[in-house]
Amino acid sequence: MKWLFAKKRRSGHTADMAIEDKTFRTPGQLIQALLEDRGWSQRALSIVLDMDETAVNRVCADKRPVDAKLALALEDVFGVAAERFLELQRSFDLAQARIVTQPDPSRANRAQLYGDLPITEMIRRGWISAKDIRDPNVATELMRFFGVNRLEDIEILPHAAKKTAVNTPATPAQMAWLWRVKQIASEMLVGPYSAQGVKAAIGKLKLLTASAEEVRKVPRIMAECGIRYVLVESLASAKIDGVCFWLNDDAPVVGMTLRHDRIDNFWFVLRHELEHVQRGHGRGAGAMLDAELEGERAGTGPNVDDDERVANEAAAAFCVPPEMMKAFVARKAPFFAERDLVGFARVLKVHPGIVAGQLQHITGRYDRFRDHLVKIRAIVAPNAFRDGWGDVAPVEG
């Protein structure tokens, strides 16, 4: 941008246009050019400005900065906008700083770690040991938590080597949650894994869906078929429902948050993750991280990824067979009486809350039959490996 010279100086003549067209790197260079244009000495300028001559010499030599007050005085004397002197001073100061300041690549890393990771919440949850985010131990604790020797290798940083790829882009909070699930799962002892065992387990789980109290058996059935089943409360900003990943080819892990503490959501998310296990999704290719598994994301539309679509289809069929739900809706729509919902659930041998959840999803009426959506976290959590809701999983660092 070219700074304009004032049309008229108070001394009575206009600044030389030749000077206006020149490029100056420092305010001292501009002032010296203006003096030469007028045939003035620095002593003369000191008299005009009512400044010590030594001070003027230092300004012209760029050894003393031009502040706002001096810039306004120079504007009065030379008819050059004060902004031009200040802009040259700012550019000169920045250039000087770049020369003497050593680049600090770790500063950008710290900005992303301390800005994006929910460190305060991780401290509160007992995932890292520190008094607060200003504690000097935070950096060491983050390296311990993520299993690295350098801050720059923590996986939320874009240039870090990815050890835990995910099927969709994950936020730092989601990656932190995923690492907590991995920590807990790595220390669990479960039965041998087999594809046949998982298929049999799904059949056993189906028999539990008639009663909310039966969900207490889920962790044991999962462990018997070789699946490490972990409950970790979601971090506030993560909005995760579940995940499926593999510690190795024979060690599948299913993690859940119970973010929506409802019987229908519990069975849908669990069966969704089990379908990922059955199909080997994520084995050697990254974690199947399911966030906000609701609405369109829980459906089978064209915007849903193929792996997620088949998992959604399996979960919906497990809860309520789609052809039976379709027939029920065709018979009863647009008015659904509670006795009809309960009777239909009895025919399906599932809890009425499971039918209610599916019906809400189909009709978009989430205000209906809410009394049937019973809470199950307090039932399943005591028998599961869990972290959160006031508990901290005792895992080795």
Side-chain angles (χ1 to χ4, degrees):
M1 175 180 179
K2 181 184 291 183
W3 290 100
L4 297 179
F5 282 71
K7 288 184 177 180
K8 193 172 184 180
R9 291 172 49 244
R10 292 186 181 181
S11 57
H13 64 273
T14 305
D16 193 331
M17 294 301 294
I19 294 178
E20 180 182 357
D21 293 335
K22 289 183 179 180
T23 300
F24 301 99
R25 295 184 180 276
T26 71
Q29 289 179 357
L30 174 57
I31 294 170
Q32 192 60 43
L34 290 167
L35 291 175
E36 292 174 1
D37 180 63
R38 287 157 179 75
W40 290 7
S41 66
Q42 293 180 10
R43 175 173 295 177
L45 180 60
S46 69
I47 295 171
V48 172
L49 294 174
D50 193 20
M51 285 179 61
D52 181 78
E53 185 177 350
T54 301
V56 171
N57 293 341
R58 290 178 59 80
V59 169
C60 292
D62 292 307
K63 294 180 179 180
R64 172 176 170 171
V66 174
D67 58 18
K69 182 177 180 181
L70 178 56
L72 289 172
L74 291 170
E75 180 181 79
D76 282 343
V77 172
F78 294 116
V80 176
E83 289 85 353
R84 187 174 188 191
F85 293 105
L86 292 175
E87 177 62 22
L88 286 172
Q89 185 66 58
R90 186 198 67 82
S91 299
F92 179 62
D93 290 343
L94 184 59
Q96 290 287 93
R98 289 190 187 280
I99 293 173
V100 301
T101 303
Q102 294 296 321
D104 184 4
S106 64
R107 185 177 290 120
N109 292 341
R110 291 196 301 273
Q112 190 158 8
L113 290 173
Y114 286 76
D116 294 344
L117 273 177
I119 294 177
T120 299
E121 192 173 0
M122 293 170 72
I123 293 171
R124 180 183 62 80
R125 296 276 295 271
W127 294 6
I128 60 177
S129 179
K131 294 179 180 179
D132 54 42
I133 196 170
R134 293 181 178 276
D135 192 320
N137 290 328
V138 167
T140 301
E141 282 293 293
L142 286 175
M143 290 186 287
R144 178 195 59 77
F145 180 82
F146 285 100
V148 297
N149 295 320
R150 304 183 307 165
L151 279 178
E152 52 264 40
D153 292 332
I154 291 178
E155 287 198 39
I156 74 160
L157 299 174
H159 54 273
K162 297 295 182 183
K163 297 179 182 177
T164 310
V166 293
N167 58 315
T168 57
T171 67
Q174 290 170 343
M175 289 299 295
W177 179 88
L178 179 56
W179 265 91
R180 188 58 171 178
V181 174
K182 286 181 65 176
Q183 287 178 341
I184 299 171
S186 297
E187 298 192 3
M188 293 175 62
L189 296 177
V190 297
Y193 162 77
S194 71
Q196 295 79 6
V198 174
K199 184 177 181 180
I202 292 174
K204 295 176 183 178
L205 293 172
K206 180 63 177 176
L207 298 176
L208 307 182
T209 57
S211 169
E213 290 298 322
E214 290 292 271
V215 300
R216 70 184 188 278
K217 300 176 182 178
V218 169
R220 175 179 56 80
I221 293 174
M222 298 284 277
E224 288 174 349
C225 72
I227 297 177
R228 289 162 168 81
Y229 179 66
V230 183
L231 298 180
V232 177
E233 181 183 1
S234 180
L235 293 164
S237 60
K239 297 183 179 180
I240 294 173
D241 292 296
V243 69
C244 164
F245 63 90
W246 301 71
L247 296 178
N248 58 56
D249 285 347
D250 295 312
V253 178
V254 167
M256 292 176 60
T257 65
L258 306 185
R259 185 169 67 94
H260 298 296
D261 188 7
R262 306 190 314 252
I263 190 169
D264 63 311
N265 186 262
F266 171 81
W267 284 114
F268 186 91
V269 174
L270 178 61
R271 184 61 183 88
H272 179 103
E273 303 307 336
L274 284 172
E275 188 65 16
H276 285 321
V277 174
Q278 274 207 121
R279 294 178 178 267
H281 293 165
R283 180 187 270 164
M288 306 300 296
L289 190 65
D290 294 303
E292 299 183 88
L293 193 57
E294 55 204 35
E296 183 181 10
R297 290 175 181 268
T300 57
N303 295 327
V304 181
D305 179 81
D306 289 342
D307 290 346
E308 298 301 329
R309 183 181 301 112
V310 297
N312 287 338
E313 289 172 347
F318 178 87
C319 293
V320 181
E323 64 279 4
M324 297 184 69
M325 176 58 82
K326 184 177 181 180
F328 175 74
V329 171
R331 291 195 311 271
K332 303 298 181 181
F335 305 107
F336 299 95
E338 185 167 359
R339 65 177 180 275
D340 293 329
L341 180 144
V342 174
F344 183 44
R346 189 175 295 117
V347 170
L348 296 173
K349 297 181 180 180
V350 301
H351 190 279
I354 298 176
V355 176
Q358 290 288 293
L359 195 59
Q360 286 183 346
H361 177 70
I362 292 171
T363 63
R365 289 290 305 276
Y366 293 96
D367 59 322
R368 299 293 307 277
F369 311 118
R370 295 178 65 87
D371 290 345
H372 291 289
L373 304 180
V374 298
K375 298 180 181 298
I376 50 78
R377 189 181 71 217
I379 303 172
V380 67
N383 297 322
F385 283 82
R386 65 189 183 278
D387 183 285
W389 307 288
D391 294 325
V392 179
V395 297
E396 294 293 332

